[in-house]
Amino acid sequence: MMLQPIAVGGQSALSPSGPAAQAIGDLWNFMLVSGAVITVAVLAAMAWALFHRRAAGQPAEADREADPRGEAVNNERGGRGRENPGCPRDQRQGARIMVGAGIVFPTIVLGVVLVFTLRAYAAVSLPAGTVTTADAPPAPGELAIKVTGRQYWWEVEYLDREPSRVFETANEIRIPVGRTVTVRLVSADVIHSFWVPELQGKMDLVPGRVNALALHASKPGVFRGQCAEFCGVQHTKMAFVVVAEPAAQYDAWAARQRESRRVRDPRLAGDEATFLASGCPLCHAVRGTPARGELGPDLTHLASRLTLAAGTLPNSTGHLYGWIANPQAIKPGSKMPAVPMTAPELHAIARYLASLQ
Amino acid sequence: MRESREKQQRAFEATWDAPKGPFGVFRTIDNMPIAVRYMVTSFAFFLIGGILALVMRLQLSRPDAGVVDPETYNQLFTMHGTTMMFLFVIPFLEAFANYVIPLLNGTRDLPFPRLTALSYWTYLFGGIYIYSSFLFGVAPDGGWFAYVPLTLKEFSPGPGIDFWDIGLSVAEVAAIGAAAEMIVGILRMRAPGMSLNRLPLFCWALLITSGMIVFAFTPLIVGTAMLELDRKELTRFFDAGYGGDPLLWQHIFWVFGHPEVYIMFLPAVGILSHVVQTFSRRPVMSYTFMVLAMIATAFLGFGLWVHHMYATGLSPTGMGFFAAASMAVSIPSAIQVFGWITTLWAGRPVWRTPLLFGIGGIVIFIVGGVTGVMVAAVPFDLQAHDTYFIVAHLHYVLIGGVIFPIFAGLYYWVPKFSGKLMGERLGRWNFGLMFVGFNVAFFPMHLSGLNGMPRRVYAYPAGMGLELYNLISTIGAFVFALGVLLFLVNVYRSLRSGEEAGNDPWRGDSLEWSQTSPPPNAQFAVIPVVRSRHPLWDQSTLLPVEGDDPAVVAAVRQLDHAPAHWRGSLIVGTLDGRPLAIAHLPRESRWPFIMSVGLTILFISALVEIRWVVLLGVAVTGAAIVGWFWPVDTETTAIDEQRVSGGSEVRLPLAVGDRSANGYWGTCVLVAIIATALATFLSAYFYLGNDPSPVPRAEAPPLGIALLTAIVAGFSGAATRWLTHQIDHVASSTRRWPLGMLFTSVIALVLLSVAVWRDTSLDATASGYASSVLGLVGFAGTLSAACAGMLVAALAWAWRAPRDPRGRGVALNCSLIAYANVAVWLVVLATVHLWPRVAG
């Protein structure tokens, strides 16, 4: 079975959709223009240096007649220096150009760039020590999400001052448009990096540390994110999506996510039994059932998500079948094994998971 | 008279002949043949690394291609980076330097020819060692940066990372050895009259680079040792679960890794300066600025490693500093670029292939420099970091700033190496394809990176707008490869049927062009006299002329086709280039080869952990060390000659047994290496002590045994002082008593190191803090053991031949290491025992 994974959501740093990405985008535009101007100017100087018309007749310095002691062109400092009467005018001019174009001009330009840099940095970064523990309840009015990087997927936990309102999902973060969300970043295994280019720069998830990032979308949309620090064999397919939606929609979504699974159709009760009897619950949890595995993503509302296998596949029934039947064909090296199952079992499990809205 | 002179000339040439016979290859220690091997080997690694890159480009030419599986892809990029950095660029530049530096400096060889050979063999075996992992299907796959914890046993249980870690150590040792050699060679062995302000720019570049290698590679050696210990689960330096810290590895790695960029770039600056100078037919503009810019680069290069770690969540307050430093490092580069531009402007450019590569390299490097300032801007880097934008940036810097200059240098100097010119037409095609191919391959990567393509991914999904960029990049990569292929064709045709180069095909300014191509084994049978920064342009003769310093005239006369029966070369004053002494250089030796075999066995034993392999490695290495330091016959001859001539005023003395000897200067470099290693262990200690995670810190270790150790260390220092006093002031001294006392105290320190560690009752497998204490105490103990080993040699001399100056030299070198040992012990004891009490 050949499944062609496709991207869900955009992932370009050049189309910012939030204030942080916008600040970086503005800095980039400034540096792009000034960098391009400087590059062209330097290359033009180089071209001029190579091709300008030279006075005919005079031999090149290297071709002048040498004398035994080399005195004509030497001074006591070992080279051809300023004090030397034989020192050509262009020597002094050249040194002046080196000081002007090599020291003075870059110092000024870099000073300006540094100011812009620090200003943009203040706009994208949280103050030091904003977050020290990953699990502390959020401040009043704060929307805090704890994201745990795991070899090769993202565990997402919506924190709340009320423990019963905490809920867990995976590989998908929904945020209300126009509100700043604090993302607390921790790792369960190796170093990962959390990167949603259209909203914000990246931040690493380092074992033993808690990092934090402010996420803010100024317009609704689906933004793709991806692990940006090499983390092992399936670093490539460790993606996720951030969905920014209006506050009302977000609230409805969050309320639904807080609930346990609902089996609406009584015919699915048998499918649930098949799921629970299979190997799946060893690693996965479905709230409201005895399935409480913690190694893999929480599946309670799997069907509500946009992607499967950490942003690798769009969430459709066909892809779900393919993924359950042989994850190693789609994401070789993934921690999800291919569990042998009969065709009816596969149908039942896929049907069941597809119902978990 | 004439007959005896001819006889002497023949004897002189025979002395400098490379060893013959079937095993001559393994005994050769001459710089030129070894440099050629070094270049061929590292160029082969360049081709291999390039092929790895082409396979990656094929895989990325379309979305989700299936050319290789993910594991293989990870091995490919790991080995591509490792190969290019450690097995190609650094060794290649050192090989270049091995060949060219003695010629540029007007001397006959490098100061430690056996070390040259050892460097080559260990490098070769290290490279083969790493690549042998492919045979077992376990090539390293943790990236060239090997970030922990991914590379710890828990997440990389296979031996791939061990291959990488251990093989790398071998290559690092080779690089540090070569660096020590360059430092001493450039500072001490030059033509008379070549004062420091007449040093050719390539020599300046290598001098500065070599200093950087000492301070940058030593932390890496310490870091890779820590990694290997962690992998064997003997320590917990990097394991966050035990109070270690994965970021410690990143700090250590980038304290090496960023200077590494300039370690590669500065020699290229040197090459470019020579090429620009020769082909614009005038001296490079403002030599002083060029040298100062290189020194400034070296200093700044050590202050900006954190820009590789912007996204790790370090405190934002320090970031402004690192951003400023990262931007500031572009100023010296700007000075250099305008130095070349103004030189070309004021000169009369001659359009030959070396200049084409030089200019092409500068153009590419300018673009890389501009994007370098961009990624120094922290917020922008948070987007660009670990994307293809960085891949583009680093290749613009390294291919423009290093590879093109290397090709410029090859086209410039290969005629000197081979005696044959390279094809000019083919050279232009070679340049054109590489230049166009490079830009086609790498420019689109800026865009794919900004459009969201991270690094080190084996695939990307369709529909993200990355398809076209990647396809273009792949096409460019193959065009570039075709250019490299043309270079090989050009070399082959040049060697087969190239035009004769003659001594000076480019009418260059520096001393190498005064010799035949290829140069004779002795390089300068008559030592040239330097009176200018550009001797071949400014001086009509390299012989002494009226008005020269009499000491120079005498030195040239004394060394004219002489000494005839042993290899000797001139040592000059570091600053003024006045003749000081004559260095004896060994002629041939089998020990470098045998020692590198022994070291390789030792490194294999670290992987397989079989007892008899360890013992075999120790035995072979030990035998090689003894053989290496066994008195050399030709040196005995040299010393006897010196005695016969009675040290008359006119004749230069032999540099042996005092502070003019190369060995003494080499030992000084070793002390710098020791200090750097200590600093690395100290950083680990303080870093892990500051770790925010709640670590069950042990109580401050008890003082008892530590006090005793401090007293022994003090005693050891006093013994060393007595030793140096005897060496310097007591002519009749046999040095037995101070050496004996020193030896006893150092052995005591070795034993006490075990006691000190036991006394702390720490468990290195239980915490990062304990590991860092073990690191400090273990380092001090190991240094003491090495010092004791050296002292055995000094004692043997003192007993067997107390009057021999060589024995005095060994004792003098021992005294340096012994002082360093005392200092290390006092610092370690103060840190481990006093610091916790002071800091509470």
Side-chain angles (χ1 to χ4, degrees), chain A residues 11-13 52 54-55 58 61-63 67-69 77 80 90-91 195 197 202 204 209 211 228 234 236, chain B residues 197 245 281-282 311-312 344-348 382-383 385-386 450-452 458-459 507 531-532 538 540 548:
Chain A
Q11 191 171 303
S12 170
H52 75 102
R54 290 172 166 80
Q58 220 182 10
E61 281 191 84
D63 302 324
D67 64 56
R69 291 202 47 76
R77 298 198 311 179
R80 306 172 188 224
D90 59 359
Q91 179 74 33
W195 185 39
K202 58 185 69 67
D204 291 354
R209 282 169 190 264
N211 283 333
Q234 267 305 343
T236 300
Chain B
N197 59 1
D245 193 336
R281 314 293 309 135
R282 59 153 289 138
T312 54
L344 290 163
W345 160 73
R348 297 175 173 273
L382 294 178
Q383 287 284 25
H385 181 68
D386 271 333
L450 289 171
N451 279 294
Y458 70 88
R507 292 188 295 153
R531 300 176 205 97
S532 154
D538 298 342
S540 56
D548 272 336

Side-chain angles (χ1 to χ4, degrees), chain A residues 26-44:
Chain A
D26 293 343
L27 178 66
W28 157 249
N29 287 335
F30 164 70
M31 292 195 300
L32 174 66
V33 172
S34 45
V37 169
I38 289 171
T39 307
V40 169
V42 177
L43 293 183

Side-chain angles (χ1 to χ4, degrees), chain B residues 710-734:
Chain B
I711 292 166
V712 174
F715 178 76
S716 178
T720 314
R721 181 73 198 88
W722 187 19
L723 174 65
T724 52
H725 178 82
Q726 280 214 354
I727 292 172
D728 290 339
H729 302 291
V730 187
S732 62
S733 159
T734 60

